[in-house]
């Protein structure tokens, strides 16, 4: 079966900001994250992304800018010999009542349907409680990294069974070496 790993974006792949990531210039990879995605990809993993982007609804940046950030991500990973799979984002605001904004699992379902794999047990790596709750809602494996908002999230009431790693590089090492 396909080896699928789903990642949150801000705070897992790139630095996050309470002021949102509003431009390609503000989209800065966390240390080791690009290499981790490339190594996973080269080890046969399909790496997809599920990211809340309420900054679109808030008017902080547009879809073209968001797409440019993801093009940058794909270029950087390709330079390391890897590739990025499906990127799904929720452009809505907290009050829009959509089905895709985490902690709802809508984006995870879209990714699973795209790759025709069940979500049960699939690792979803995030830095926010909503990421972990989205995973739990569809019986995926919640995985917390301590980057981004992760250390603050770790102090909260985490879903039972949440795995905790320092960063994405540590998650990649675990998956590749075990
Ligand atoms: O971590 P992912 O899902 O990739 O993206 C998170 C971002 O969309 C932004 O989400 C916002 O939350 P609100 O959407 O305003 O509740 C804030 O937490 C920002 O700091 C953060 O940059
Ligand atoms: Mg995040
Ligand atoms: Zn949405």
């Amino acid at each position: 079966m396909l080896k699928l790993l789903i990642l949150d974006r801000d705070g897992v792949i790139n630095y996050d900001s309470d002021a949102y990531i509003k431009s390609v210039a503000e989209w800065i990879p966390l240390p080791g994250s690009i290499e981790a995605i490339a190594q996973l990809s080269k080890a046969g993993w399909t790496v997809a992304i599920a990211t809340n982007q309420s900054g679109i609804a808030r008017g902080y940046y547009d879809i073209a800018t968001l797409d440019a950030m993801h093009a940058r991500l794909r270029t950087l990973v390709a330079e390391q010999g890897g590739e990025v799979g499906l990127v799904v984002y929720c452009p809505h605001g907290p009050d829009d009542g959509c089905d895709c904004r985490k902690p709802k699992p809508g984006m995870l379902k879209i990714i699973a349907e795209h790759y025709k794999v069940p979500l049960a047990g699939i690792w979803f790596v995030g830095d926010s409680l909503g990421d972990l709750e989205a995973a739990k809602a569809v019986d995926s494996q919640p995985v917390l990294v301590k980057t981004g908002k992760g250390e603050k999230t770790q102090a909260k009431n985490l879903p039972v069974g949440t795995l905790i790693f320092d960063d994405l590089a540590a998650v990649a090492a675990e998956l590749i070496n075990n």
Side-chain angles (χ1 to χ4, degrees), residues 11-16 27-37 145 147-148 166-172:
V12 174
I13 298 172
N14 55 278
Y15 289 96
D16 198 359
W27 187 88
I28 301 166
L30 282 156
S33 68
I34 299 298
E35 294 79 3
I37 295 170
V145 286
T147 49
D166 285 341
D167 54 20
L168 182 55
V171 174

Side-chain angles (χ1 to χ4, degrees), residues 54-131:
S54 69
I56 297 284
R58 299 171 193 279
Y60 296 159
Y61 47 90
D62 60 16
I63 298 282
T65 300
L66 191 61
D67 288 345
M69 292 180 205
H70 300 154
R72 175 89 177 121
L73 165 63
R74 292 185 187 278
T75 297
L76 291 173
V77 172
E79 286 172 354
Q80 304 279 338
E83 67 176 312
V84 177
L86 184 65
V87 176
V88 179
Y89 57 82
C90 165
H92 307 110
D95 303 329
D96 290 345
C98 72
D99 290 331
C100 44
R101 178 179 162 82
K102 298 173 289 184
K104 288 183 181 174
M107 290 190 282
L108 302 183
K109 290 178 181 174
I110 290 169
I111 291 168
E113 282 155 22
H114 175 82
Y115 288 108
K116 304 208 185 330
V117 298
L119 275 168
I122 296 285
W123 285 28
F124 178 44
V125 183
D127 67 319
S128 298
L129 186 58
D131 300 325

Side-chain angles (χ1 to χ4, degrees), residues 8-10 16-17 20 51-52 54 58 101-102 149:
D8 168 50
R9 195 195 82 178
D10 296 333
D16 198 359
S17 165
Y20 299 74
T51 177
N52 283 353
S54 69
R58 299 171 193 279
R101 178 179 162 82
K102 298 173 289 184
K149 298 178 172 67

Side-chain angles (χ1 to χ4, degrees), residues 33-46:
S33 68
I34 299 298
E35 294 79 3
I37 295 170
Q39 290 307 322
L40 282 159
S41 171
K42 288 186 280 188
W45 287 85
T46 294

